[in-house]
Structures are given as structure tokens and as C-alpha cells.
Amino acid sequence: MSIYVGNLSYQVTEEDLKQAFAEYGTVNRVQLPTDRETGRPRGFAFVEMESDTQEQAAIDALDGAEWMGRDLKVNKAKPREDRSSSPRGNWSGGNARRNNNRY
């Protein structure tokens, strides 16, 4: 399992996160997603720790804590949703064609 860390400062680095979470156990991995166009951090990260006990200790201590001028949101990461089954529907069908024929 991993931990979601939100509301991060855009100046935070993977090393900053490793140091902050190391106080609660062994950090196995840090992912700091960046914007595709700008390369700038997106304001959230995922941290994987050695055990669920260590992850829970970090969540309990850091959720709502102020760090680098921001109030952190820290909780268990939710599984990634499958984007191929979007409830938005199919862009190429139905109403899209009918609307194009009105003018």
C-alpha cells in the first residue's frame, strides 16, 4: 500500500519527503508526479513505507500538519481508477453527430 500526500508546496523535492517520512520508518519509494507540459510538481506525492504500521504512524502524525507553509493532507492512497471505462460516454457517438448537423 502507499500513502497519498496532498497540498504540497511546489518547491518540495523527493528528498524532502524521504526525510520527513523517515521519522516514522523506512521509506521504500517516493513518487512526486510532475506536470507534463511545465515539468513542475503537481502538488501531491505518493510515499511507500516498509510496513502498514509505519504508514499509519506517518498518517496519524502528518495529516493536517503544517509543512513548508502548507497544511498537509495525508491518507492511504486509493487504487487508481481505470480510465477506459469513463462514465462520460463516447465522444464519437450519438448527440455529438446530431448537434453538428443543426447549423
Side-chain angles (χ1 to χ4, degrees):
M1 198 69 185
S2 64
I3 301 170
Y4 167 83
V5 186
N7 201 34
L8 289 172
S9 165
Y10 294 115
Q11 283 71 42
V12 74
T13 66
E14 286 185 17
E15 190 58 37
D16 293 332
L17 287 164
K18 284 179 189 175
Q19 289 177 4
F21 280 81
E23 292 184 37
Y24 307 98
T26 303
V27 177
N28 290 338
R29 183 176 177 202
V30 173
Q31 288 180 284
L32 188 61
T34 56
D35 183 89
R36 290 181 192 152
E37 293 179 19
T38 65
R40 182 174 111 164
R42 296 178 61 194
F44 66 92
F46 297 97
V47 178
E48 292 179 15
M49 299 187 75
E50 195 166 85
S51 72
D52 288 341
T53 304
Q54 292 175 2
E55 287 182 354
Q56 192 60 53
I59 291 168
D60 292 343
L62 297 174
D63 186 39
E66 189 204 334
W67 189 55
M68 298 180 92
R70 315 250 348 219
D71 292 335
L72 297 179
K73 304 288 184 208
V74 184
N75 53 47
K76 287 274 190 190
K78 296 177 184 172
R80 192 170 191 176
E81 292 182 11
D82 181 12
R83 291 184 179 199
S84 65
S85 60
S86 173
R88 295 181 188 172
N90 186 348
W91 283 96
S92 64
N95 294 333
R97 289 185 186 153
R98 279 181 256 154
N99 288 340
N100 287 340
N101 292 333
R102 286 185 183 172
Y103 297 101

